[in-house]
Amino acid sequence: MKHSIANPFPWFKKMTAESPVVYDTDYEHFFGSKGTWHVFRYDDVQRVLGDYENFSAEYLPKVEESPLTKALTTNDPPYHTKLRSLVSKAFTPKAIEDMKPWIEEITNELLDKVAEQGEMDIVRDLATPVPIQVIAKMLGVPYEDREKFKYWSIILIKQPSEVEGGIEGYFLAQQEMGQYFTEMITKRQKNPTNDLISHLVQAEVDGEKLSIKELIAFCILLLVAGNETTTNLINNSLLTLTENPEVQEHLSQHPKDIGKAIEEALRFRSPVQYMTRIAAKDTQLGGQLIKKGDLLNAWIGSANRDESKFENADQFDLHRTNLRHTSFGHGIHYCLGSPLARLEANIVLRILLERFKQFQLKFDRPITMNPTALMYSIKELPVVFQKR
């Protein structure tokens, strides 16, 4: 059985039952390395993501071409602790709550454009522009550059073999982002404003300011993680609602349940399908000896469909009581932006269901996916609907 990007779930089920920890010599990682351990069960995935002393996040080759080697997600303590304490100030409950009216305004403006047509492409018309505007506003970068951001984001979640120019093309995208943010950082050093880049430029930890490379890594991470994953969450939630029309109607009558629907959509179609780690020492996992230096893919999408944790895991269940999915990671690397992603998805779904009803896929054919195993990433999602 092969892994299908659009429907990986039968593969997850088979592997969880038969080969929960298995080595794949042919697997090519997005940074060029070959070979990985695939990890499928919930408990094993949680362990790999949570136990940084055995399974390190520092899996990226430390190469000059890749600013991401300085990123929060690819470093462990003590460096990770320093970085996280800095950037967490931008994600306080108050900072996120303050964005609420603005996200509502953007959502309504976007829906005004399609209201009379009775149809839209959720990806293009809603799920892409909302998170990009939010993260651009947070960082303080011009929304006019959104096409660049989207282009870079999609490259960075692909395998190098899928990128034009291969590994060189992959690193080129990072370098272009690096140059872009270097200009932004230089401007803020001279003229700080009230945005995240200015805050990071001025911030100090133990009397030290962040280096340009550290700042660039932050900006790239926030841009990619802050828009691509939330876009996927909105798309995946909407796709799931088209499959469950009775849930659409329930949520429009009971908007308080939208939060539950989002949690179940996060479990049912995880925006991030796996995370990579590297073994820091020889260790046992699922009856297998993992050698120091071995790479591992912890399949979040599989953990969230583990029948031993989630009864009827292949069913979308709005009233599921176990909401302990692992879609935002686990342990010290738990996603810092998760409250913002949840808020954006909640606002978008609430306003959509207030204004429109009877969402259906426009075409009776398989949905178009972006060619990446890293994300459950829908490329086009044309729907029809009626106004309320």
Side-chain angles (χ1 to χ4, degrees):
M1 181 182 283
K2 289 185 78 173
H3 172 236
S4 152
I5 288 170
N7 184 20
F9 309 110
W11 182 63
F12 291 157
K13 182 169 269 190
K14 179 179 168 63
M15 300 306 281
T16 300
E18 297 173 11
S19 307
V21 180
V22 64
Y23 196 73
D24 179 352
T25 50
D26 297 326
Y27 192 89
E28 187 183 357
H29 288 269
F30 63 85
F31 44 88
S33 296
K34 273 192 110 172
T36 203
W37 287 96
H38 293 304
V39 182
F40 294 98
R41 284 184 185 154
Y42 181 95
D43 288 338
D44 292 337
V45 167
Q46 291 276 78
R47 187 182 159 207
V48 170
L49 296 180
D51 178 5
Y52 68 86
E53 290 180 343
N54 280 300
F55 304 105
S56 168
E58 298 185 15
Y59 58 85
L60 280 181
K62 304 281 186 192
V63 291
E64 281 299 309
E65 299 96 321
S66 176
L68 285 177
T69 56
K70 289 280 187 188
L72 189 64
T73 48
T74 53
N75 282 281
D76 293 321
Y79 183 68
H80 169 271
T81 313
K82 175 181 105 165
L83 289 182
R84 192 166 174 116
S85 69
L86 259 187
V87 82
S88 61
K89 291 167 189 164
F91 290 95
T92 61
K94 184 184 183 309
I96 288 166
E97 186 64 25
D98 286 350
M99 298 191 86
K100 194 173 173 181
W102 185 72
I103 299 168
E104 290 171 343
E105 188 185 328
I106 297 170
T107 304
N108 274 309
E109 279 175 11
L110 290 164
L111 294 183
D112 287 345
K113 294 177 184 172
V114 298
E116 299 308 320
Q117 299 164 17
E119 62 178 74
M120 64 172 147
D121 181 334
I122 294 290
V123 180
R124 179 193 64 214
D125 298 324
L126 190 64
T128 298
V130 171
I132 282 194
Q133 286 192 60
V134 170
I135 214 71
K137 184 179 172 77
M138 283 183 81
L139 283 167
V141 297
Y143 179 59
E144 296 72 59
D145 293 337
R146 62 188 177 277
E147 295 298 331
K148 285 184 195 169
F149 304 156
K150 201 68 204 167
Y151 170 74
W152 288 329
S153 296
I154 285 174
I155 283 186
L156 291 195
I157 64 165
K158 286 183 177 179
Q159 304 284 34
S161 57
E162 294 159 351
V163 175
E164 198 177 326
I167 193 90
E168 289 83 6
Y170 182 80
F171 282 135
L172 181 64
Q174 286 193 38
Q175 286 160 357
E176 285 172 0
M177 291 178 91
Q179 287 164 357
Y180 178 85
F181 283 119
T182 301
E183 286 174 28
M184 290 289 161
I185 290 160
T186 308
K187 282 179 189 169
R188 294 304 191 281
Q189 284 170 332
K190 291 173 186 162
N191 298 301
T193 54
N194 184 25
D195 58 46
L196 187 52
I197 292 180
S198 300
H199 164 72
L200 292 172
V201 161
Q202 294 162 8
E204 291 188 2
V205 176
D206 304 331
E208 278 182 48
K209 291 196 171 183
L210 291 175
S211 70
I212 288 277
K213 277 191 177 170
E214 289 168 333
L215 288 164
I216 289 168
F218 254 141
C219 293
I220 292 177
L221 175 67
L222 284 169
L223 190 64
V224 177
N227 86 66
E228 195 59 36
T229 52
T230 310
T231 290
N232 294 338
L233 171 55
I234 295 168
N235 288 332
N236 299 351
S237 299
L238 254 294
L239 173 62
T240 306
L241 289 184
T242 64
E243 296 166 340
N244 298 273
E246 72 291 349
V247 177
Q248 287 183 42
E249 206 41 48
H250 173 89
L251 294 178
S252 70
Q253 305 295 324
H254 306 90
K256 284 187 176 167
D257 284 347
I258 289 173
K260 286 201 296 190
I262 288 166
E263 295 310 308
E264 178 64 346
L266 279 161
R267 181 199 70 81
F268 190 68
R269 281 191 172 98
S270 316
V272 177
Q273 287 283 289
Y274 72 83
M275 287 183 181
T276 303
R277 294 291 185 263
I278 189 167
K281 52 185 94 158
D282 289 2
T283 188
Q284 290 280 336
L285 182 72
Q288 300 280 13
L289 173 64
I290 314 292
K291 293 266 181 86
K292 181 181 176 179
D294 283 357
L295 291 159
L296 304 95
N297 280 356
W299 285 92
I300 290 169
S302 175
N304 286 341
R305 295 279 187 125
D306 187 333
E307 287 281 347
S308 71
K309 299 293 174 186
F310 304 100
E311 202 175 317
N312 301 320
D314 291 335
Q315 300 294 315
F316 179 89
D317 179 2
L318 181 62
H319 303 294
R320 191 176 291 281
T321 50
N322 175 14
L323 299 176
R324 292 177 61 83
H325 60 73
T326 195
S327 299
F328 288 119
H330 182 62
I332 61 164
H333 288 284
Y334 186 84
C335 175
L336 201 54
S338 58
L340 181 59
R342 285 180 164 116
L343 177 69
E344 288 179 56
N346 199 306
I347 289 171
V348 166
L349 289 188
R350 176 173 55 77
I351 295 176
L352 258 183
L353 294 167
E354 277 171 8
R355 296 184 58 172
F356 308 138
K357 62 182 177 178
Q358 293 176 14
F359 286 92
Q360 297 174 333
L361 294 180
K362 187 178 176 184
F363 304 112
D364 184 20
R365 63 176 188 229
I367 52 165
T368 315
M369 304 290 290
N370 284 308
T372 172
L374 180 62
M375 302 262 186
Y376 197 93
S377 177
I378 299 169
K379 189 175 186 178
E380 292 168 354
L381 190 60
V383 297
V384 292
F385 54 84
Q386 293 183 9
K387 284 171 74 172
R388 287 205 180 267

